Amino acid sequence: MILADYIKKHAQATPNKIAVFCGGQSVTYKELSDRIDEKSDYLKQNFKDTRFPIHVFRASQDAEFLVKYFALHRAGLVAAPLEKDTPDDVFHEIDTKLSSCSVPDGTADVLYTTGTTGKSKGVMISHRTILANAENLIEGQGFTEDLLFIITGPLNHIGSLSKLYPVLMLGATLAITEGMKDVSQLFAAMDLPYAKVATFLVPSAIRILLKLNAKRLAQYADKIDFIETGAAPIMQSDMQLLCEVLPKSRLYNTYASTETGIISTYNFNDGRCRQGCLGRPMSHSEIIITDKGLISCKGDTLMSGYAGDEALTKSVLRDGTIFTSDFGKIDDEGMLVLFGRENDVINTGGFKVAPTEVENVAMSLPQVKDCVCAPAVHPVLGTVIKLFFVSDDTPADIRAIAKQLKSRLENYKVPFYYEQTDEIKRTYNGKTDRKFYKNSENKVG
Amino acid sequence: MKEKILSLLERELPPTVDLSSKFLFSELDSLTITLILTVLSDEFGITLDSSDATPKKFMSIDSLTELVVSKLKNK
């Protein structure tokens, strides 16, 4: 059984129940299932060569995404949703690579991420993994069939995509918003006639709510069953404030990644509000701490590998175990506590960015002679990306550089701060001295 | 006032944002909108929240200036 089969099952049992609200419209389970069937039939007729089954598309933020995503699954094909603002050349590069890529039987998705290895690559997710993630979330966070779950993040990202799994497995209801740009959409979804609502918010989205909308959020305190956060570290002060604003809600901090799936979760509204604590492993998951203190994970939620890259797969997935770059420990209560990351990946707004990817694009610009990309702390936004660069132009046109980067990178990869410098510091063997730039006083641009 | 807001936002926003845009709202994401609301609140001592983040009020520097002026009047 795959997740699309659950939608069909609910369409038969509760045909008129709303499956999804979006943009003022609602779609029942029967309507959703019928649309998936129709699209699936079309795909089966037009894409008969299943040796190369991956279909790359930009993820829209609406019911049509569900139709396309589940129709691909039902047709025995593989969904590869990309960020909606993916530049054309990046899209074509990925499409070309994946169009000749074969995948193991049972593969459902190829999700693009930076994640564990620090390089952008396609993570293969199986149908079995999707169902295991669904069951982990249902058991671990108490999803129920009378819940309205509000999607606020991009549907190609595991944080939001994984919430479709428990909701549709149970026959509960989704409300899809276009994101946090218009926060009124989130509150409009909370106003829908449901007794219990829940949502997933990355830490920067929680910051937006607490900074500008704390009073309004508090008005929904009786209705918000739970909020989950994850994908990036959340500040202790934000955790405490959220507990004060929503004293009755469960507030989860989750350990998950595209590669590992949903592993553990901790309700920090437990009177202790422990920072860095990510709870006990869920029923389909196991956590082992390596001798170096790094987190490794086992279980049914793990990826099958990286599409078309066996060597990269072997570097993180061996003997059914994923070896992450996250430092952590299991405490006396059996809970996972996270310390930080081993590699140079920058986590900004819940998105992981490999600095080398940004640097490679920056180095291709005629104005940039040398550069390094580093994390910087913004007083409101948290971790942002900063580009230190060397240029013959004095001063260089920073706005022009930023715009060229924006045309060639997804938005979240474009640096926020820029600093022109005389040289890029290197270590004795010629490598960029990333430690220097990580630790430098780069709090303001 | 307009020049002050322009100079403030030029300093605080990422350089990818074109502040001369005729439809500024389309240039912004959720974080930059939050940033603008926060920066203007702090600088002028006014209360702004997400209900102020409408496409009309964020159309241009002129409309943002009108927003600040009206909030100052009602302070």
Side-chain angles (χ1 to χ4, degrees), chain A residues 12-89:
Chain A
Q12 286 159 358
T14 52
N16 297 321
K17 183 168 181 181
I18 305 293
V20 56
F21 289 97
C22 186
Q25 308 285 316
S26 61
V27 180
T28 65
Y29 268 95
K30 177 159 186 352
E31 288 165 340
L32 180 62
S33 186
D34 288 349
R35 283 168 65 181
I36 291 170
D37 276 344
E38 191 183 331
K39 184 98 177 173
S40 165
D41 289 344
Y42 169 83
L43 290 166
K44 279 179 194 164
Q45 283 166 13
N46 289 278
F47 298 95
K48 289 178 181 162
D49 184 356
T50 51
R51 283 175 305 160
F52 307 113
I54 305 173
H55 283 242
V56 180
F57 60 100
R58 289 182 176 88
S60 55
Q61 204 66 14
D62 51 22
E64 193 52 37
F65 174 88
L66 304 187
V67 173
K68 190 165 194 172
Y69 179 76
F70 290 111
L72 284 164
H73 289 177
R74 196 171 278 172
L77 300 167
V78 175
L82 302 183
E83 195 77 9
K84 69 177 177 190
D85 65 3
T86 302
D88 286 344
D89 51 349

Side-chain angles (χ1 to χ4, degrees), chain A residues 359 362-363 368-373 387-390 424 426:
Chain A
E359 289 159 10
M363 286 297 278
V368 176
K369 280 177 68 184
D370 198 0
C371 69
V372 60
C373 203
L387 185 75
F388 296 86
F389 68 96
V390 179
I424 299 298
R426 297 188 182 277

Side-chain angles (χ1 to χ4, degrees), chain A residues 173-289:
Chain A
T173 303
L174 291 163
I176 301 176
T177 71
E178 288 171 28
M180 293 294 284
K181 184 169 175 175
D182 179 3
V183 179
S184 64
Q185 286 189 18
L186 171 65
F187 290 117
M190 287 188 186
D191 283 329
L192 288 166
Y194 285 78
K196 289 197 299 188
V197 301
T199 189
F200 169 81
L201 297 166
V202 292
S204 57
I206 288 176
R207 172 67 62 81
I208 289 172
L209 281 176
L210 293 175
K211 188 101 187 148
L212 300 163
N213 305 276
K215 278 186 191 164
R216 194 166 172 196
L217 185 64
Q219 291 168 10
Y220 296 89
D222 290 331
K223 200 173 179 182
I224 295 174
D225 191 34
F226 66 90
I227 292 177
E228 184 198 34
T229 190
I234 180 169
M235 284 173 63
Q236 176 79 20
S237 53
D238 285 350
M239 288 166 69
Q240 282 169 341
L241 187 52
L242 196 59
C243 292
E244 286 168 26
V245 171
L246 302 174
K248 299 175 196 165
S249 307
R250 302 190 302 283
L251 303 171
Y252 292 107
N253 199 358
T254 295
Y255 186 70
S257 69
T258 317
E259 283 97 336
T260 63
I262 318 295
I263 298 294
S264 66
T265 195
Y266 164 60
N267 173 16
F268 58 85
N269 205 357
D270 64 349
R272 299 186 294 170
C273 197
R274 295 179 57 194
Q275 191 175 27
C277 182
L278 295 158
R280 294 184 184 86
M282 295 165 160
S283 61
H284 286 286
S285 308
E286 188 184 339
I287 299 171
I288 301 148
I289 306 297

Side-chain angles (χ1 to χ4, degrees), chain A residues 179-184 187 204-205 207-208 211-213 216 349 378 380-381 398-399 402-403 406 411 414-418, chain B residues 10 12-19 24-35 37-38 41-42 48-51 53:
Chain A
M180 293 294 284
K181 184 169 175 175
D182 179 3
V183 179
S184 64
F187 290 117
S204 57
R207 172 67 62 81
I208 289 172
K211 188 101 187 148
L212 300 163
N213 305 276
R216 194 166 172 196
H378 187 283
V380 177
L381 308 180
I398 287 173
R399 205 167 282 277
K403 289 211 162 165
K406 192 179 176 184
N411 277 348
V414 179
F416 188 98
Y417 291 135
Y418 297 78
Chain B
E10 273 177 349
E12 297 291 341
L13 296 184
T16 45
V17 177
D18 180 5
L19 289 167
L24 184 59
F25 189 75
S26 66
E27 297 260 329
L28 307 170
D29 61 17
S30 57
L31 293 176
T32 41
I33 285 177
T34 305
L35 194 53
L37 292 171
T38 307
S41 298
D42 292 350
L48 295 168
D49 63 28
S50 291
S51 63

Side-chain angles (χ1 to χ4, degrees), chain A residues 117-135:
Chain A
T117 62
K119 280 168 70 181
S120 221
K121 65 269 149 166
V123 177
M124 295 185 290
I125 304 293
S126 70
H127 289 290
R128 182 176 162 220
T129 291
I130 287 176
L131 298 184
N133 277 321
E135 288 171 0

